[in-house]
Amino acid sequence: MAEGYVAKARHLMIAPTKLRRIADNIRRKPYTEAVAILETLPHKGAIYLKKVIQSAAANALVANDAIDEEMLFIKELRIDEGPRMKRLWP
């Protein structure tokens, strides 16, 4: 079995609480099922998560030729807070 492959999306302009609601739907699911779920969701965050998951899958497929898409699954999906935008009220 292959080790975990990582993909990150940084400095997204969306609240982490909104992304966490979507991420809860796809944790510990197979890759093909997770992408299918994200394609049907109407949320803006689903587009971001789909890009990150596809990037991680591409990293895994390039690094190991013995793996195909049906063998991949979402092992860990973390949504952490990034930098906050500073607002000024003159």
Side-chain angles (χ1 to χ4, degrees):
M1 185 52 73
E3 63 275 354
Y5 293 95
V6 177
K8 295 180 183 181
R10 299 176 57 171
H11 305 292
L12 299 178
M13 288 295 167
I14 188 167
T17 53
K18 292 178 183 178
L19 275 178
R20 285 184 191 120
R21 286 187 314 165
I22 301 164
D24 290 340
N25 293 328
I26 60 171
R27 279 194 180 98
R28 293 176 298 280
K29 297 235 185 219
Y31 166 72
T32 53
E33 184 180 342
V35 171
I37 289 170
L38 291 173
E39 286 177 348
T40 60
L41 290 176
H43 307 291
K44 173 181 153 182
I47 297 167
Y48 293 139
L49 285 177
K50 182 179 153 195
K51 283 184 181 181
V52 172
I53 289 172
Q54 286 177 336
S55 176
N59 293 342
L61 294 174
V62 167
N64 193 347
D65 293 333
I67 296 178
D68 63 353
E69 288 184 355
E70 286 76 31
M71 296 173 69
L72 299 175
F73 69 98
I74 311 298
K75 180 179 178 182
E76 181 182 2
L77 183 59
R78 292 189 331 187
I79 310 295
D80 297 329
E81 276 195 49
R84 295 186 180 251
M85 289 185 66
K86 294 181 181 173
R87 304 288 184 171
L88 180 65
W89 192 281

